[in-house]
Amino acid sequence: MVAPGGRQRWEFMLHAGEQASEMEKPERVRALLAPWCKPEDIRIERTAVYRFHAREARRFSKGRCFLVGDAAHVTPPFAGQGLVAGLRDTANLAWKIAGVVRGQLNEQVLASYDQERRPHARKIISLARFLGKLVMPRNRLVAFAIHGTIRAVRMLPAGRSVFDDLKIKPPQVFHRGLFWRDRTARKLLAGSMLPQCWIRTYEHSEPVLGDNALGLQWSLIGFGVDPAAHLDGKLLARWSCLGGMTWQWCQGGDARHLTPKERRLVPMDEIGLPRLPPEGWVAIVRPDRCVMAEGPSAKVDPMLQRALSMLEPMPSSGAQPEGSHRAMTSS
Ligand SMILES: Cc1cc2nc3c(=O)[nH]c(=O)nc-3n(C[C@H](O)[C@H](O)[C@H](O)COP(=O)(O)OP(=O)(O)OC[C@H]3O[C@@H](n4cnc5c(N)ncnc54)[C@H](O)[C@@H]3O)c2cc1C
């Protein structure tokens, strides 16, 4: 496996009877690599014998306890996604805990961590197991068949990108959790991540990536429209209490837009978002950049009401606000 800094990572399956202490010796490593490299070209940085597992906890959370990273799931290393999965866990969970601790979010929000993250972690483990079967054939005949097939698939551009760019990797699209999806096959799918692109904002002197432009807050984004123009002051105040921002996405430059400069997001390239919603569309984007809801700007008021009723803490009297909807919803 090609690694950064001109390094390479080589992996060899140990056979029965082979000892870790013996296999990690430099002369043994050089002998293993001899068919592919000149011994004088090799500088060994690290050797490690490891045993891998494919496991996940039955639940990622219980009461006030949450499991993230390898404590929640361990995957064979073949997809290179073990640490990444842990980072996804923390990106999903940290702002939820912070919001509850600050009293901005209700506790039910925390249940969405397990609902959202566990199915995706499982898919990544399944992918790693599958890739493990491809790279660890047990005999020459199977190796010939598998590697011949991969070679043939890689001759086609689409096939090449499946393996080289790991397009085979399941996207992080949630099926249940802290979002709702009215219809499927939208350009901007609720329960999936807002794609990244370079953006110009009033705050930053240089173009920044979408993650940095939006920061760690809630965002209400209007595509070609100012979402705040469709909302009354009371609702906007509730949104601000949550730390929510309102933005106008100005595709094709901001010359014709009237929103205050500090609330404009101007994508730098012509494409902007790969799946750009139509003008007049709005989206509620969570601090982890997952789209919570999307729809036409004419419906932004009920959309935001529904989102706030899912997020805001219960009134201390215990009375539920009118029209509120607390259940975690799904597609
Ligand atoms: C060979 C190999 C290759 C890999 N390649 C990749 C890759 O290419 N890409 C990728 O994304 N991932 C890869 N991974 C997986 C990645 O290394 C792990 O998923 C990641 O390190 C897990 O991070 P973690 O913080 O969840 O757990 P850990 O890294 O295990 O950290 C847990 C920490 O908690 C400490 N600890 C344990 N018990 C206690 C206690 N009671 N009190 C206090 N401290 C405690 C431990 O000492 C440890 O420091 C690979 C793993 C292996 C083995």
Side-chain angles (χ1 to χ4, degrees), residues 101-171:
V101 170
R102 285 193 203 118
Q104 290 173 317
L105 300 176
N106 69 67
E107 283 183 32
Q108 286 96 319
V109 163
L110 298 171
S112 64
Y113 167 62
D114 177 79
Q115 291 173 334
E116 293 175 352
R117 281 298 306 142
R118 198 155 46 87
H120 189 254
R122 176 177 289 186
K123 280 187 194 161
I124 291 289
I125 294 172
S126 302
L127 171 69
R129 292 175 80 149
F130 169 69
L131 292 178
K133 287 201 174 91
L134 297 189
V135 301
M136 289 193 305
R138 298 283 172 140
N139 63 56
R140 280 177 192 275
L141 192 66
V142 176
F144 181 78
I146 290 178
H147 296 169
T149 308
I150 292 178
R151 244 177 224 188
V153 170
R154 285 191 71 252
M155 284 168 131
L156 305 166
R160 220 173 10 254
S161 86
V162 164
F163 288 102
D164 296 6
D165 306 333
L166 214 64
K167 287 269 164 67
I168 196 170
K169 193 171 68 183

Side-chain angles (χ1 to χ4, degrees), residues 204-264:
H204 300 91
S205 51
E206 297 289 325
V208 290
L209 279 171
D211 276 0
N212 297 333
L214 296 180
L216 295 171
Q217 297 127 334
W218 286 87
S219 299
L220 178 62
I221 305 175
F223 294 87
V225 285
D226 178 5
H230 298 261
L231 295 168
D232 71 38
K234 228 168 141 187
L235 200 55
L236 276 171
R238 283 169 67 194
W239 183 236
S240 299
C241 270
L242 203 74
M245 298 283 294
T246 51
W247 299 98
Q248 177 162 348
W249 186 274
C250 306
Q251 189 74 24
D254 59 349
R256 67 196 169 91
H257 296 289
L258 300 173
T259 341
K261 279 193 172 64
E262 59 277 9
R263 294 202 288 108
R264 292 183 203 166

Side-chain angles (χ1 to χ4, degrees), residues 69 73 75 80-90 117 120-121 124:
H73 43 74
T75 172
Q81 293 288 305
L83 176 66
V84 182
L87 295 176
R88 289 197 184 105
D89 295 340
T90 45
R117 281 298 306 142
H120 189 254
I124 291 289

Side-chain angles (χ1 to χ4, degrees), residues 1 9 11 46 50 68-71 77 80-86:
M1 186 192 284
R9 179 165 127 189
E11 305 214 11
R46 180 171 175 258
Y50 67 91
V68 296
D70 278 21
Q81 293 288 305
L83 176 66
V84 182

